[in-house]
């Protein structure tokens, strides 16, 4: 991995790509979405402040766990410009995502635990499957797939929507 001398305070897009592991096209995309920023030289070349390295790492880590880019952008907007996010910043910003991640984990666990029940249609329930439910009674109530989406039952117990 190429090392960037401390005296260099700005990086070219190629240096940022090499150091961050992100493709140049990804960096351009991140910039177009307001996740990172650059200035232009007199020759119209992009130059990124060193803090862009940490911001790119932040974006890529958040993307890996499924955080939408709009949510990442909102989080990064809370940081002062030209400041590298610190460990405390990451902890504070990621705390806001904890409940969303916990919900995704629950949904993935439900999917894993009930995957063998699925016969391929995505409903995860023989009662609402088009193959065993040709009149599509379930489809009359709502359109679209509801792959293991929870909903509260009348008794207050949460259960998968498709398994009613």
């Amino acid at each position: 991995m190429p090392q960037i001398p401390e005296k260099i305070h700005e990086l070219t897009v190629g240096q940022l790509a090499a150091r961050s592991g992100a493709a140049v096209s990804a960096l351009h995309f991140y910039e177009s979405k307001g996740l990172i920023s650059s200035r232009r030289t007199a020759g119209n070349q992009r130059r990124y402040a060193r803090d862009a390295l940490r911001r790119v790492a932040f974006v890529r880590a958040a993307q890996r766990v499924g955080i939408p880019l709009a949510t990442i952008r909102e989080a990064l907007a809370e940081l002062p410009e030209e400041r590298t996010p610190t460990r405390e910043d990451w902890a504070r910003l990621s705390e806001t995502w904890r409940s969303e991640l916990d919900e995704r984990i629950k949904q993935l666990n439900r999917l894993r635990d009930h995957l063998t029940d699925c016969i391929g249609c995505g409903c995860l329930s023989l009662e609402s499957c088009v193959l065993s439910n040709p009149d599509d009674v379930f489809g009359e109530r709502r359109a679209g797939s509801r792959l293991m989406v929870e909903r509260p039952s009348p008794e207050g117990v949460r259960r998968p929507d498709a398994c009613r």
Side-chain angles (χ1 to χ4, degrees), residues 46-118:
R46 289 178 168 94
R47 292 294 185 264
Y48 296 90
R50 288 182 70 92
D51 73 301
L53 281 169
R54 190 72 56 90
R55 289 174 183 266
V56 170
F58 181 95
V59 169
R60 295 184 76 193
Q63 280 185 300
R64 274 189 217 106
V65 296
I67 304 297
L69 288 179
T71 304
I72 298 169
R73 182 178 51 248
E74 290 169 7
L76 287 172
E78 294 180 23
L79 299 176
E81 284 296 315
E82 305 301 319
R83 180 167 78 67
T84 302
T86 63
R87 181 180 302 274
E88 292 77 23
D89 291 329
W90 173 251
R92 179 177 45 80
L93 295 176
S94 63
E95 182 62 32
T96 62
W97 300 333
R98 184 170 298 280
S99 63
E100 181 179 339
L101 292 173
D102 287 343
E103 182 58 33
R104 286 178 191 213
I105 290 167
K106 285 192 325 192
Q107 287 177 356
L108 286 170
N109 283 332
R110 269 195 314 280
L111 176 60
R112 181 201 60 216
D113 295 344
H114 296 282
L115 195 56
T116 57
D117 299 338
C118 181

Side-chain angles (χ1 to χ4, degrees), residues 26-37 59 63 69-70 72-74 76:
L27 297 174
H28 291 171
F29 178 75
Y30 293 162
E31 188 171 356
S32 74
K33 297 299 180 186
L35 300 167
I36 59 175
S37 62
V59 169
Q63 280 185 300
L69 288 179
I72 298 169
R73 182 178 51 248
E74 290 169 7
L76 287 172

